[in-house]
Amino acid sequence: MFRKSPALVSIIRRSRRGGSSLIDCCVFRKSAFPELSVDWLKTRVNDARRSYSTSIPVSDLSSHHDLQALCRDGGTKFNVSVIAQPIRAEVKRYTAELIRKGEDLPTLLVLLANENSSSVLFSDLLSKYCNEDGINLEVARVDESEVEDALHAANVDSSVNSVIVCYPIFDAYETTSLSKFCRLTGEYLSRDDKLRDNVSPMKDAEGLGHVYNRPHSDAAYISHPENANDATKEITPCSAEAVMKCLSAVPGVYNEFLPHTKRMDGLTVTIVNRSPLYGHPLAVMLSNEGAEVYSIALSSTYHFKDFKYHKIESELENCIKSSNVVITGVPDPNFSIPGEWIQPQTIVLNMSEYENISENSVLQVPGTVLVTGVGKLTRSLLERNVIRLHEAYHRKDFRIHKENARQSIVAPEKESMPLGVAASAFISRNLLGLS
């Protein structure tokens, strides 16, 4: 292993508005580290190139101009689904070990309280992944009026190891506020937010509750709680984490040799989504890595930089034109970003089920990179969260650790929902298979 120091290698990063290519050359300081070679650099860059959906010819890395010419005439697709493969392999190894030892496989419960097309599609695709990778997945369709009791029933049911809830339920559109609570009353602004915080931290596979998501939804709070165990520290909101891994995989975006707070320094990112599912946590994650972020919702725009944020008055067009990374996730078939707003050498990522921006228009812009395959990575990360929770809290070998963790996890300050009669009916109908 080489020492991760700026003295090890100097990565010439691309400027905000052109000048250098997405994949830039690296200048090795051979006088300080004579063991490094161009062959080592070739290996690193070629590994990244293999995940491109288009064929990129092998060029002499000693020539910077050859690298610039790769994307000069148009954009290219960068399929990051290849990143999901080793994650799924990790899940399969874990479940195979459980089978070999005669232990129960992890059980994931999906609470579906609406017929939202995105939620139904997500649960169907996740079911396919879980069946292939050895996770027992159950989809429980419940009425909107029963979902709170159903969640509490799942929290106390020892046969359920992980839970996810398909949103939105009570709110037609996810809240875009940077706070969960009303400043005057202290009550939740959104019933969906309250529901997220009432998922047991020992079963929160999406990582959206107060224990796992607080570090990623509060720009002034970067580290996990002191009483967090190893499993807590490794679980993050999976959709936002998937985007972070996508961007980190694009050559030239992430400088692993710099401190964590500077590894995306120089990036300007526009996120057209501020939902608590991924838009808001993603803005904080990127800002914590050094990026400048414009977080855009229907009624407001916030600017994140250096662990601080403030509301600004800026048009969507201006934000996009000043950015070298554009991430969009608007659940509206009528929303569209004009292709002429995308600048050369911009990375574009669409998280919406709808085409928020035309792929053809993106690929016609010189040097652009269109990232695809994010959904596969998101589902793989969710599976990994499931096995981490199972290992930490639900395996037979970890019963003592589970009891200690149960005492160490801090409950949300807000009043929890009561376990009512509907919960018992829910257990009988959905969890025990009596329906």
Side-chain angles (χ1 to χ4, degrees):
M1 293 293 293
F2 300 110
R3 284 178 288 171
K4 294 183 178 180
S5 167
L8 173 67
V9 61
S10 174
I11 297 181
I12 302 179
R13 304 176 64 87
R14 61 194 175 98
S15 63
R16 294 186 180 181
R17 286 278 60 86
S20 59
S21 68
L22 176 68
I23 310 174
D24 284 327
C25 71
C26 297
V27 179
F28 289 93
R29 301 182 180 179
K30 293 187 177 181
S31 59
F33 301 94
E35 71 276 12
L36 299 183
S37 64
V38 174
D39 290 337
W40 177 78
L41 174 59
K42 283 183 177 181
T43 301
R44 288 179 62 90
V45 176
N46 285 336
D47 286 344
R49 284 176 175 173
R50 290 189 187 101
S51 60
Y52 275 88
S53 60
T54 56
S55 176
I56 299 180
V58 177
S59 303
D60 181 4
L61 294 178
S62 63
S63 172
H64 188 203
H65 299 290
D66 289 342
L67 292 173
Q68 285 182 322
L70 292 176
C71 299
R72 179 176 299 161
D73 298 328
T76 184
K77 285 187 178 181
F78 183 57
N79 193 332
V80 297
S81 61
V82 66
I83 306 174
Q85 295 174 4
I87 299 175
R88 293 188 68 184
E90 175 189 348
V91 174
K92 291 178 180 178
R93 284 194 298 270
Y94 179 81
T95 55
E97 179 189 0
L98 294 178
I99 294 174
R100 183 174 60 84
K101 293 183 176 181
E103 298 184 33
D104 294 334
L105 293 173
T107 298
L108 170 63
L109 176 67
V110 178
L111 293 179
L112 189 61
N114 57 45
E115 293 299 325
N116 182 286
S117 59
S118 299
S119 299
V120 174
L121 177 62
F122 178 78
S123 63
D124 290 343
L125 294 174
L126 181 61
S127 178
K128 180 176 181 293
Y129 266 49
C130 290
N131 289 336
E132 294 174 354
D133 298 342
I135 296 175
N136 295 324
L137 182 140
E138 300 178 20
V139 178
R141 295 178 179 269
V142 296
D143 293 332
E144 182 180 298
S145 60
E146 286 186 314
V147 67
E148 295 176 342
D149 290 328
L151 175 59
H152 277 277
N155 282 341
V156 301
D157 192 313
S158 60
S159 67
V160 176
N161 308 135
S162 300
V163 179
I164 65 172
V165 182
C166 295
Y167 303 100
I169 298 175
F170 301 110
D171 310 306
Y173 296 96
E174 289 288 351
T175 176
T176 59
S177 172
L178 294 182
S179 173
K180 293 183 179 181
F181 307 109
C182 175
R183 294 182 179 180
L184 296 178
T185 65
E187 298 296 325
Y188 282 92
L189 294 173
S190 161
R191 288 183 67 185
D192 282 355
D193 271 337
K194 183 177 180 180
L195 201 62
R196 278 185 278 270
D197 278 353
N198 277 274
V199 178
S200 168
M202 291 184 285
K203 300 186 179 185
D204 187 5
E206 288 184 291
L208 296 175
H210 69 285
V211 170
Y212 305 124
N213 198 21
R214 184 183 174 190
H216 312 293
S217 59
D218 182 354
Y221 189 90
I222 319 169
S223 60
H224 287 266
E226 292 182 0
N227 60 359
N229 55 27
D230 290 341
T232 301
K233 294 176 181 177
E234 292 176 342
I235 290 179
T236 56
C238 51
S239 296
E241 180 67 17
V243 177
M244 291 294 292
K245 286 188 176 294
C246 290
L247 294 178
S248 300
V250 177
V253 171
Y254 191 79
N255 188 346
E256 64 183 279
F257 302 108
L258 294 178
H260 277 287
T261 57
K262 298 292 183 181
R263 292 185 176 183
M264 288 186 169
D265 192 21
L267 287 185
T268 302
V269 185
T270 291
I271 306 175
V272 194
N273 179 292
R274 203 188 305 133
S275 79
L277 302 182
Y278 60 86
H280 186 189
L282 177 60
V284 180
M285 286 181 177
L286 288 166
S287 176
N288 288 348
E289 294 280 3
E292 180 180 11
V293 181
Y294 294 101
S295 177
I296 298 177
L298 290 174
S299 58
S300 61
T301 299
Y302 278 84
H303 178 256
F304 288 73
K305 181 64 177 175
D306 297 330
F307 314 112
K308 299 178 182 179
Y309 61 86
H310 62 278
K311 190 174 182 178
I312 62 173
E313 297 295 332
S314 181
E315 297 294 331
L316 175 61
E317 179 180 357
N318 295 334
C319 293
I320 291 178
K321 286 185 175 180
S322 65
S323 299
N324 42 30
V325 178
V326 176
I327 302 167
T328 177
V330 180
D332 183 353
N334 298 318
F335 176 82
S336 178
I337 296 175
E340 55 267 23
W341 290 4
I342 304 299
Q343 301 300 300
Q345 299 185 1
T346 297
I347 301 169
V348 179
L349 192 153
N350 180 24
M351 291 287 289
S352 174
E353 63 178 310
Y354 303 107
E355 193 176 49
N356 288 170
I357 183 169
S358 169
E359 288 191 5
N360 292 333
S361 65
V362 172
L363 296 176
Q364 289 175 3
V365 181
T368 54
V369 175
L370 179 65
V371 180
T372 62
V374 185
K376 295 179 180 179
L377 182 56
T378 300
R379 293 189 290 275
S380 300
L381 289 171
L382 194 150
E383 284 190 319
R384 189 176 67 177
N385 283 352
V386 169
I387 66 170
R388 285 177 172 174
L389 290 171
H390 182 267
E391 182 177 21
Y393 301 121
H394 304 285
R395 284 191 70 176
K396 295 177 181 179
D397 298 340
F398 290 83
R399 294 303 182 189
I400 297 177
H401 173 68
K402 174 181 176 180
E403 294 303 319
N404 294 337
R406 186 191 300 273
Q407 298 174 7
S408 66
I409 292 176
V410 179
E413 297 178 0
K414 302 302 169 184
E415 183 179 273
S416 61
M417 295 173 286
L419 181 62
V421 177
S424 300
F426 169 79
I427 295 175
S428 300
R429 185 173 64 253
N430 295 287
L431 300 183
L432 302 182
L434 301 180
S435 58

